[in-house]
Amino acid sequence: MESSLIIELVLTAMRMAAILAGPVLLTVLVVGIVIGALQSATQINEPSVVFVPKMLAVMLVLALTGATTLGLFVDYVREMIARIPAIAG
C-alpha cells in the first residue's frame, strides 16, 4: 500500500471525525463558557448547574444535526467499504 493512500485515508478519517464531533464540541464549549461566566458572576458553584444545560444543549444539537451527520457518516462508510478491494489489491 502506498504512503500517499495511507495519508489520504487518515486525513479523510480525521476530517470526518471533526465534522461529526464539531457541532457537539462547540456547543459544549459555548454553553460551558456562558454558564461559567454566570456562575462566576453569581458565585453559585453547583456542578449540576453546569451539567444540565450542557446535556440539554447537546440533545438539541444532536436533534438538529443528527440526520445530516448520520448521512455523512453513512456515505463515508460506504466509500471506505467500496475502496477495500483497491486497498487490499
Side-chain angles (χ1 to χ4, degrees):
M1 193 166 14
E2 297 180 19
S3 62
S4 62
L5 179 62
I6 295 172
I7 291 171
E8 178 191 349
L9 292 174
V10 169
L11 288 176
T12 305
M14 289 173 52
R15 188 179 319 116
M16 185 56 58
I19 290 170
L20 294 176
V24 174
L25 292 176
L26 287 174
T27 301
V28 170
L29 175 70
V30 169
V31 170
I33 289 173
V34 169
I35 297 297
L38 290 174
Q39 279 185 329
S40 176
T42 60
Q43 296 182 353
I44 298 174
N45 292 324
E46 184 66 30
S48 63
V49 173
V50 177
F51 178 73
V52 173
K54 282 184 183 179
M55 183 178 66
L56 293 175
V58 166
M59 288 174 27
L60 178 68
V61 166
L62 286 177
L64 294 175
T65 64
T68 303
T69 56
L70 180 63
L72 289 171
F73 183 66
V74 168
D75 292 342
Y76 169 74
V77 170
R78 283 184 181 155
E79 180 185 334
M80 290 297 115
I81 290 173
R83 292 178 79 173
I84 288 174
I87 294 171

